[in-house]
Amino acid sequence: GAVVSQHPSRVICKSGTSVKIECRSLDFQATTMFWYRQFPKKSLMLMATSNEGSKATYEQGVEKDKFLINHASLTLSTLTVTSAHPEDSSFYICSPIFSTDTQYFGPGTRLTVL
Amino acid sequence: EDQVTQSPEALRLQEGESSSLNCSYTVSGLRGLFWYRQDPGKGPEFLFTLYSAGEEKEKERLKATLTKKESFLHITAPKPEDSATYLCAVQAGRTYKYIFGTGTRLKVLA
């Protein structure tokens, strides 16, 4: 199957700092990238959809100035959580799309904001 | 509004005790229904895609079926290593977006 990597896998930061999460599709090119967040024992909630070379589309209730998404190439997308606060602590998962009938996910990044 | 509901929320089985997980959906223009397995602290792992009512797919001890209103994930003679959260998602309409259910946390006891 397709290989997707995320870095870092875990990050702990102080409130007010910014954190960048990288998502790479290692063996295919993805024109579209989904970013999800997942709270404990909850399902995946779509945050935004990004297309390579264009601005991301954010879901209702997701602050675009807080969660900056860059999809500069077909194999790399980044999510930056700016001025993080404890309520931003969550599991962030990327999902690059290269086929409409299969969705692959990254291994996730656990963010803890103190 | 498109909606996906999974039941039960949690399920405990003895090793070898077969059971089924349910995924009910209400969407406009279903394009596909997907099952995933998610282990703690990891991203979801793809299991099956179903496209039309009556379709069935199997993989080892898992079998997924689809009707016009719901999908079942049947687990035959489960083993402890089948313990995980099983997520159902649907893709509907003209977008690539997936709508996820809240998952079923399965625990198989030895």
Side-chain angles (χ1 to χ4, degrees):
Chain A
V3 179
V4 184
S5 71
Q6 276 184 244
H7 177 80
S9 58
R10 291 177 177 269
V11 57
I12 301 173
C13 68
K14 292 182 178 179
S15 185
T17 61
S18 295
V19 175
K20 179 185 283 188
I21 301 170
E22 290 187 351
C23 175
R24 294 180 184 274
S25 53
L26 301 180
D27 56 358
F28 64 94
Q29 294 182 331
T31 56
T32 300
M33 181 77 74
F34 290 141
W35 282 95
Y36 295 89
R37 66 187 297 180
Q38 186 177 32
F39 292 104
K41 297 185 178 180
K42 300 293 184 182
S43 192
L44 281 71
M45 297 298 295
L46 181 65
M47 298 175 65
T49 304
S50 71
N51 292 295
E52 185 263 338
S54 62
K55 289 184 179 180
T57 302
Y58 291 82
E59 295 300 301
Q60 193 172 9
V62 178
E63 299 176 57
K64 62 179 181 180
D65 294 330
K66 181 167 187 62
F67 299 99
L68 303 179
I69 292 173
N70 183 284
H71 194 166
S73 78
L74 292 173
T75 59
L76 173 64
S77 177
T78 60
L79 167 66
T80 301
V81 183
T82 62
S83 186
H85 291 284
E87 58 264 31
D88 299 323
S89 298
S90 189
F91 193 53
Y92 292 87
I93 307 174
C94 67
S95 178
I97 303 297
F98 74 103
S99 167
T100 58
D101 63 354
T102 305
Q103 185 178 14
Y104 293 99
F105 292 86
T109 296
R110 171 73 60 193
L111 170 64
T112 303
V113 185
L114 302 177
Chain B
E1 183 182 346
D2 296 336
Q3 202 166 16
V4 178
T5 304
Q6 288 187 249
S7 62
E9 189 174 311
L11 181 63
R12 292 167 69 93
L13 299 173
Q14 290 294 133
E15 184 173 3
E17 180 186 0
S18 301
S19 187
S20 296
L21 282 54
N22 177 266
C23 172
S24 299
Y25 62 91
T26 306
V27 297
S28 301
L30 178 72
R31 294 175 57 190
L33 185 141
F34 305 80
W35 282 98
Y36 296 88
R37 170 193 171 124
Q38 186 176 25
D39 292 300
K42 296 187 178 180
E45 174 189 341
F46 172 76
L47 293 175
F48 303 108
T49 307
L50 301 167
Y51 295 103
S52 57
E55 189 174 359
E56 298 182 354
K57 288 191 176 175
E58 286 187 69
K59 179 181 179 181
E60 296 180 353
R61 295 179 292 281
L62 300 176
K63 178 180 177 181
T65 62
L66 181 65
T67 71
K68 290 186 177 180
K69 295 182 179 181
E70 57 191 350
S71 176
F72 291 94
L73 183 65
H74 307 277
I75 303 177
T76 302
K79 298 182 178 181
E81 53 262 41
D82 294 323
S83 298
T85 295
Y86 290 85
L87 297 169
C88 165
V90 299
Q91 192 181 42
R94 297 185 177 184
T95 72
Y96 286 122
K97 291 183 182 180
Y98 292 73
I99 304 166
F100 280 86
T102 52
T104 294
R105 294 191 306 279
L106 174 65
K107 177 74 173 178
V108 182
L109 305 172

